[in-house]
Structures are given as C-alpha cells and as structure tokens.
Amino acid sequence: KKKKNKTVNKTFRGAQDLYVAEDDFYKIYNFLAEFDNLKGAYRGSGRSELELMREAAKIVRNTVPNYAYVSDFIKGLRRSPLGNFVSFPAEIIRTSHNIVQQGLKELRDPALRSIGARRLIGFGTATAVIPPTVVEVYRGLYGITREQLGAMKRFLPEWSKESTIVPSRDAEGNYYYTDR
C-alpha cells in the first residue's frame, strides 16, 4: 500500500510540475512578446530596455491569469466545496478587465495605438466571435438544428443558462453538450 501511495504521489507531483512549467512557458512567451512590442513602439525614444522590461512584466502580470492574484475572499472560497474552481472565473474577470483597460490606455498613446487596437480587436474576437463560430461549426458537424440546440438549452442547469453550449451527438444519436 505504501509503495502504491508513493507512486500515486510521485505521478501527481510530476503532473503538477508539468502544469506549472506550461504556465510559466506561456508567461515567459507573453513577456517576450510584450517586450518586443514595446521595443518596437518606443524605438529611438530613449527609454531603457530595463524600463520597457518592467512595463512588459506589469502588462503580463495584469493580463495573464495568475492564481496568486485572486482576492482573499476567493482564496477563502477555495476551502469551500467549490474548491479551486472559483479561482479560474475570478482570474478571467480580473484579466478581462485589465486587458480592456490596457488596450484603452494604449489607444491614447500615439506610440502604442496600434498595439492597443490589436489588443482590443483580439479580445473582442476571442469573446464575441469565436464562441458562436465554434457552436455553429459543431452544429454543422453533428447535424444539429437550431431548434434542437434550443431544446438542449431548456434542460440546462441554472448555472449554465447563459453559457456557450457546444452541441454534439454520439454514434447512437444521443445528444451531448459541452458548457464553455
């Protein structure tokens, strides 16, 4: 039994390490992208690379989910039956707000205007265009009509009523959905 527990714990730690490594990879990638954008925008302005690196780090800290930044209230909710699941939506709300604020701030700076426009267009696309497109693609792939999708939505639990529902069907014709 002890050997089995050690194996399970070792596997769990390995999976956790991979998750953290992936998370770190994307944060580093975002930092390098933000830094490169700032260097290009402020080329010849006399701003130091260190100053631009600090600004890039601040942007990443505010616009990429990081569970260390959830509020004490959310940290308290983690101990409830909801567990860590409350952290993700809280971070999405925090970072979404910060992405819009960052984009608006950049639009007001002539050197950063194109970065701000790209940031806001990307955010708008990710929130308003991609979800309905995915639903329509899946509806088409599985031959699900809008009426059938509407019927599926009538049976959703209360917490999913406003969610994007991606429909599917198995080989026997049974309907399923993924709550996005």
Side-chain angles (χ1 to χ4, degrees):
K1 186 173 180 174
K2 281 185 180 183
K3 193 173 188 178
K4 190 183 241 184
N5 283 344
K6 279 186 179 182
T7 303
V8 169
N9 286 338
K10 188 175 181 180
T11 302
F12 179 75
R13 278 192 306 274
Q16 190 174 24
D17 289 347
L18 283 173
Y19 175 80
V20 170
E22 179 213 16
D23 204 39
D24 290 347
F25 171 80
Y26 284 108
K27 286 177 185 157
I28 292 166
Y29 176 84
N30 277 283
F31 168 78
L32 293 172
E34 293 293 349
F35 177 56
D36 189 57
N37 284 337
L38 291 171
K39 274 187 1 185
Y42 287 117
R43 184 170 287 119
S45 71
R47 292 186 71 176
S48 73
E49 283 201 355
L50 181 59
E51 185 181 358
L52 297 177
M53 285 179 170
R54 285 186 175 139
E55 181 63 25
K58 180 180 167 192
I59 292 168
V60 171
R61 183 175 56 247
N62 291 329
T63 61
V64 175
N66 184 334
Y67 302 114
Y69 295 122
V70 297
S71 70
D72 289 338
F73 175 72
I74 297 296
K75 287 177 184 171
L77 281 178
R78 284 181 181 170
R79 289 183 219 101
S80 76
L82 296 173
N84 285 331
F85 296 110
V86 296
S87 297
F88 181 74
E91 270 303 277
I92 294 304
I93 292 167
R94 181 186 76 84
T95 56
S96 294
H97 170 78
N98 290 343
I99 290 167
V100 171
Q101 292 305 308
Q102 182 67 33
L104 293 173
K105 176 184 164 190
E106 290 163 344
L107 281 178
R108 290 189 290 270
D109 183 336
L112 303 176
R113 187 165 288 135
S114 66
I115 295 170
R118 280 194 322 261
R119 189 179 309 278
L120 293 173
I121 289 168
F123 181 76
T125 301
T127 57
V129 175
I130 293 172
T133 301
V134 169
V135 171
E136 291 303 308
V137 167
Y138 272 74
R139 261 191 354 88
L141 285 173
Y142 290 100
I144 296 171
T145 66
R146 285 194 176 89
E147 292 76 24
Q148 290 168 323
L149 179 61
M152 292 169 81
K153 288 182 175 184
R154 284 194 293 275
F155 290 98
L156 293 175
E158 193 59 40
W159 62 83
S160 291
K161 293 289 186 194
E162 300 301 320
S163 296
T164 299
I165 301 304
V166 180
S168 61
R169 198 183 331 201
D170 65 15
E172 289 83 43
N174 299 309
Y175 294 97
Y176 294 93
Y177 69 89
T178 303
D179 184 345
R180 299 285 168 160

